[in-house]
Amino acid sequence: MRRRQETQDERRGREFEAFVAGAAGRLLHTATLLTAETPYDNPRARRLLTLALAHTYACWDRLRGEDPYDRARQYLATRFARGAWHHYGGVLVRFRPGPDATLAGLTPQERLIIVLRLYEGVAEEQTAALLGLPEERVRTVCDRATATLLHPPRTPAPAVGRAKTAPS
């Protein structure tokens, strides 16, 4: 009995290692896009990835035909959304992403929907169900975020030759 359990544990470990070898890079990239960190300095993304992989490993035996990548991606997305929600007291506002991150100008919710819909290719209805939002809201947020990425807001040019006056 003990030998059979050891064999199952070894098989489980090999299967999970193969999954991680194949999926960890893409999941890390997804987490990096969500956190809007740079690819070379992404501690929050790595922490999200570690939590998602640990959760996937914990339910590995219960997957029963379910795609482990979908499960890890789903956990990654919900953990990011929950962290953004709790971090800012129930209001989804901007994290302080790296200045050169592509998605830095988007709110966490916009980044989450853009990454799920456009990068990961998750269907609109699945994204809505995952996030607990109406499909119309997902569509609207995705459209607004896409427009922001295509046409970023202009920052005012610095005033040249204008003297600064001290407040009186």
Side-chain angles (χ1 to χ4, degrees), residues 1-11:
M1 182 74 158
R2 181 180 169 106
R3 178 70 182 139
R4 185 169 57 183
Q5 181 66 35
E6 289 173 359
T7 305
Q8 288 175 344
D9 289 344
E10 288 172 8
R11 180 186 49 81

Side-chain angles (χ1 to χ4, degrees), residues 42-57:
N42 53 3
R44 289 182 44 237
R46 291 178 184 278
R47 193 168 34 253
L48 270 174
L49 174 64
T50 301
L51 291 169
L53 291 176
H55 177 77
T56 304
Y57 183 73

Side-chain angles (χ1 to χ4, degrees), residues 127-168:
T127 302
L130 176 65
L131 301 177
L133 297 171
E135 288 180 40
E136 182 60 35
R137 175 74 178 147
V138 169
R139 187 177 309 113
T140 302
V141 170
C142 188
D143 291 346
R144 183 180 61 227
T146 303
T148 301
L149 289 173
L150 293 175
H151 309 288
R154 294 184 181 168
T155 56
V160 178
R162 201 183 284 178
K164 293 186 178 183
T165 57
S168 39

